[in-house]
Amino acid sequence: MVSFEMNDRKKIGLGLTGFGIFFSFLGIVFFFDKGLLAMGNILFFSGVTLTIGLKSTMQFFMKRQNFKGTISFGLGFFFVIIGWPIIGMILEAYGFVVLFSGFWPTLAVFLQKIPVLGWLFQQPYVRSFFDKYRGRRVPV
């Protein structure tokens, strides 16, 4: 059963996920620094695991429709660890888009509710783009 309460484990998991995204961003800014990218990957994955739990993480990554994304994300992680950060980040980006493509409509609704940024996302051209992909996965 999924619990929506915020306990300490979930707080730590969200913090680790945030630091993972931050370290990955720094790794890209500093011309694909493999140390920062590897640290960002490890923190991101451990944060997601702590936030939603080990069983839910394994179920998410092992779903049949997520298998292509899981393989490419895992290969990208491996390439970053062995020292090929550009190839690794390209594979990880593809895997990230495929894995989390089901969340894009939810993200679009969230962005439309932000006070200043929401106005931009409610413009006809942007809104028609989001409406076109609402409820569909990104084709791969």
Side-chain angles (χ1 to χ4, degrees), residues 20-110:
I21 292 170
F22 178 68
F23 275 90
S24 295
F25 174 74
L26 282 179
I28 292 170
V29 167
F30 291 128
F31 302 112
F32 294 97
D33 181 52
K34 56 187 170 189
L36 287 172
L37 290 173
M39 191 65 148
N41 285 337
I42 292 167
L43 288 172
F44 178 78
F45 188 72
S46 62
V48 168
T49 304
L50 276 176
T51 302
I52 65 174
L54 184 61
K55 183 179 177 183
S56 297
T57 303
M58 294 305 289
Q59 287 175 346
F60 176 73
F61 282 105
M62 296 303 167
K63 281 183 189 175
R64 188 159 191 73
Q65 67 262 24
N66 291 345
F67 198 61
K68 191 183 287 189
T70 300
I71 294 295
S72 64
F73 193 80
L75 280 174
F77 184 83
F78 175 73
F79 281 128
V80 167
I81 296 294
I82 65 169
W84 294 356
I86 295 174
I87 294 171
M89 287 307 293
I90 290 170
L91 284 171
E92 280 186 17
Y94 173 74
F96 186 83
V97 168
V98 171
L99 280 172
F100 296 104
S101 63
F103 297 115
W104 299 129
T106 306
L107 180 65
V109 170
F110 172 74

Side-chain angles (χ1 to χ4, degrees), residues 4 8 10-11 16 61 64 73 91 106 124 129:
F4 293 109
D8 289 340
K10 289 183 181 180
K11 290 177 187 175
L16 287 176
F61 282 105
R64 188 159 191 73
F73 193 80
L91 284 171
T106 306
F129 175 77

Side-chain angles (χ1 to χ4, degrees), residues 108-119 121-122:
V109 170
F110 172 74
L111 289 175
Q112 288 175 354
K113 294 185 187 283
I114 295 175
V116 176
L117 196 61
W119 176 82
F121 283 101
Q122 290 177 358

